[in-house]
Amino acid sequence: MRYIPNSPEERAEMLAVVGLDSADELFRSIPKEVQLGRKLNVTDPLAESEVIAAMETMAAKNTAATKPSFLGAGVYSHFSPTIVDHLIQRSEFFTSYTPYQPEIAQGTLQYIFEFQTLVCQLTGMEVANASMYDGSTAMAEAYLMAQRVTRRNKIVVATSVHPEYREVAATYTQHGDAEIVEVAFDETSGRIADLSVLDDQTAALVVQSPNFFGCVEDLKALADAAHAVGALLVVVVTEAISFGLLKSPGSCGADIVVGEGQSWGIPMGFGGPHVGLFATQEKFVRQMPGRLCGVAYDKNGNRGFVLTLSTREQHIRREKATSNICTNQGLIALAATIYMETMGKKGLQEVAMQNAQKAAYAATQIAAIDGYSLPFSAPKFNEFVMRGPRPATEILEKMRTENGVIGGLALSKYYASHDNDFLVCVTETNTRDQIDNFVSALNEST
């Protein structure tokens, strides 16, 4: 957004137009007790070198950024090639806005089209939209789309789906007609357990794979179970790197695939910005939220790109809109596109393989420590749950303060009965030494 300076005379003229004498009168509807009442606590102007020194001092306080970390749980540490950050900062990309005018936004529309194409190839689906806020809101939109497609309201979701995704989706749909039924996971395998709640009123079965515990679900069996009662299978993916190694959800029978694309070259950034993925089958395209970028040809046969099938309230009548979601996260989608095209098919496979191999090595080493075990038996990708001899919060805090290692996420935050369990993530950025030091730290904590 542009900053438009106004002189005192211009401000007085604008106030006069609306019949006011001062800015205080303009804001009189805001209660005095919530007004700041003083100037902002901003330093005096600084030289560039002083600004850099001040920023470096503040950055040095973030000691967690320099510690070896094995945190995942929806936000992942992956290496991003320098070209990603370099190219997205080109002014024609960095300052571009929603490409409403295709004749002057062909570059933006082209990369959106390529983003959609790559999402389709990786998910095994036929159409993908032009990106959404993030994975959690994409999942909520899948709830609503499944209701529209099936004309049913019952949504069955596994408790092994990311707890915060379920919370966002419940908030997102709380004033609608959706009846959300949660299904427990099997305490031995870590996978979704009981499908008896599926019936002819079910709009969708929603699962995550790899799920919140890192366990890979049997998507083909779940698709068969959902389709047997006329429901859709919605597959949620929080770790997009897994597409490089695992069978695509589409090839397993998924009807809608939603997810988070943060792993594709986007910094962790304290939780954002992220980019949502949404893909489905072509027969459902008119029930899809958001908007698609398509290919068109002019009268001379020249190829071009345009926004099409924009079924949101800004483009069509509100009561006919599929969604009011209002972004395509353009710059973040561009970064993800550059990452995928830079890595290529073999690169994505290589990264995924390194993740799986390093995670398997770490899991084996930790499970060999007295008092530690792997509680879930299902196949895993780059995350796994460890069960320790004491509350996980105590173990992790001891490692953080005494060994300088961030060892994972205590599951008790989300699952009260799993006090001794913690979720560990290993990516290509974790070295062999870091993993070995992690194992040693756990040994010392017993």
Side-chain angles (χ1 to χ4, degrees):
M1 183 173 290
R2 289 181 299 168
Y3 171 69
I4 303 174
N6 298 302
S7 67
E9 291 76 17
E10 289 171 325
R11 287 196 290 272
E13 184 180 353
M14 288 188 287
L15 287 168
V17 169
V18 294
L20 301 175
D21 295 323
S22 68
D24 289 339
E25 288 187 46
L26 184 63
F27 299 117
R28 65 176 179 270
S29 61
I30 301 175
K32 286 288 184 185
E33 57 270 25
V34 299
Q35 293 187 27
L36 186 61
R38 60 171 173 78
K39 290 186 177 180
L40 290 174
N41 185 21
V42 179
T43 64
D44 292 333
L46 298 173
E48 183 177 350
S49 59
E50 293 172 321
V51 172
I52 293 173
M55 299 297 287
E56 289 177 341
T57 300
M58 286 190 283
K61 295 179 181 177
N62 183 17
T63 56
T66 59
K67 288 184 169 70
S69 174
F70 294 87
L71 275 173
V75 181
Y76 300 94
S77 172
H78 289 296
F79 174 74
S80 179
T82 308
I83 190 174
V84 175
D85 195 44
H86 177 76
L87 287 181
I88 65 170
Q89 293 189 61
R90 289 181 62 93
S91 61
E92 59 268 42
F93 292 133
F94 210 59
T95 60
S96 67
Y97 185 55
T98 304
Y100 292 119
Q101 297 170 295
E103 67 275 14
I104 60 172
Q106 281 297 294
T108 303
L109 289 163
Q110 180 172 343
Y111 79 66
I112 289 176
F113 183 82
E114 292 179 14
F115 172 84
Q116 296 172 177
T117 303
L118 292 165
V119 170
C120 283
Q121 291 176 346
L122 289 168
T123 59
M125 306 304 287
E126 295 171 337
V127 291
N129 69 14
S131 73
M132 312 185 84
Y133 297 139
D134 56 24
S136 63
T137 47
M139 187 176 96
E141 291 287 348
Y143 282 20
L144 302 175
M145 179 174 157
Q147 289 182 265
R148 291 191 297 272
V149 170
T150 63
R151 298 182 184 277
R152 302 174 180 177
N153 294 325
K154 183 177 174 181
I155 305 293
V156 176
V157 57
T159 52
S160 50
V161 172
H162 196 306
E164 291 171 354
Y165 277 39
R166 285 185 279 128
E167 190 174 348
V168 168
T171 302
Y172 205 99
T173 58
Q174 62 182 315
H175 298 299
D177 300 323
E179 174 199 356
I180 300 174
V181 178
E182 295 195 339
V183 179
F185 57 89
D186 182 77
E187 292 285 352
T188 301
S189 69
R191 289 172 159 176
I192 184 173
D194 183 11
L195 298 178
S196 62
V197 296
L198 295 177
D199 57 25
D200 61 5
Q201 298 302 308
T202 306
L205 170 62
V206 182
V207 299
Q208 179 181 327
S209 185
N211 64 27
F212 188 65
F213 310 123
C215 299
V216 179
E217 298 280 1
D218 184 350
L219 295 181
K220 179 66 170 60
L222 295 173
D224 291 343
H227 296 160
V229 296
L232 305 183
L233 176 66
V234 176
V235 176
V236 183
V237 179
T238 63
E239 173 50 297
I241 292 296
S242 65
F243 288 125
L245 184 64
L246 304 179
K247 271 189 173 180
S248 69
S251 68
C252 298
D255 299 288
I256 301 173
V257 180
V258 296
E260 174 53 57
Q262 178 267 327
S263 292
W264 293 333
I266 316 300
M268 292 188 286
F270 293 100
H274 287 181
V275 58
L277 316 176
F278 199 112
T280 187
Q281 299 173 28
E282 188 170 1
K283 62 184 178 182
F284 301 138
V285 68
R286 292 191 178 277
Q287 297 299 332
M288 199 174 187
R291 53 192 167 197
L292 278 78
C293 178
V295 172
Y297 294 87
D298 66 14
K299 65 180 182 181
N300 298 318
N302 298 315
R303 189 180 76 159
F305 299 90
V306 294
L307 282 181
T308 185
L309 291 174
S310 301
T311 53
R312 66 191 187 119
E313 97 294 340
Q314 190 176 14
H315 300 289
I316 62 175
R317 284 184 296 167
R318 177 170 294 181
E319 62 272 21
K320 295 289 186 182
T322 57
S323 168
N324 67 349
I325 197 161
C326 297
T327 181
N328 64 14
Q329 291 288 69
L331 191 67
I332 312 303
L334 172 63
T337 305
I338 295 170
Y339 175 86
M340 287 186 280
E341 293 185 346
T342 300
M343 301 300 287
K345 184 177 180 179
K346 289 186 177 178
L348 289 173
Q349 289 175 332
E350 171 63 24
V351 173
M353 189 64 75
Q354 284 195 30
N355 276 248
Q357 290 178 338
K358 289 187 174 185
Y361 171 75
T364 303
Q365 296 298 311
I366 297 172
I369 304 173
D370 284 343
Y372 287 87
S373 62
L374 291 161
F376 300 136
S377 60
K380 301 163 186 66
F381 176 57
N382 67 351
E383 288 182 280
F384 53 89
V385 174
M386 291 305 310
R387 181 161 295 165
R390 295 184 287 115
T393 51
E394 293 179 14
I395 296 171
L396 295 173
E397 179 64 9
K398 189 171 186 292
M399 279 203 300
R400 186 185 69 81
T401 55
E402 297 183 8
N403 304 97
V405 175
I406 300 174
L409 176 73
L411 288 188
S412 56
K413 179 179 179 181
Y414 303 108
Y415 303 91
S417 61
H418 287 252
D419 202 35
N420 288 16
D421 295 353
F422 56 100
L423 183 65
V424 180
C425 176
V426 185
T427 73
E428 78 279 7
T429 61
N430 293 116
T431 65
R432 171 75 175 263
D433 285 345
Q434 287 180 357
I435 297 172
D436 291 341
N437 289 337
F438 177 28
V439 175
S440 298
L442 274 181
N443 248 323
E444 294 173 9
S445 71
T446 57

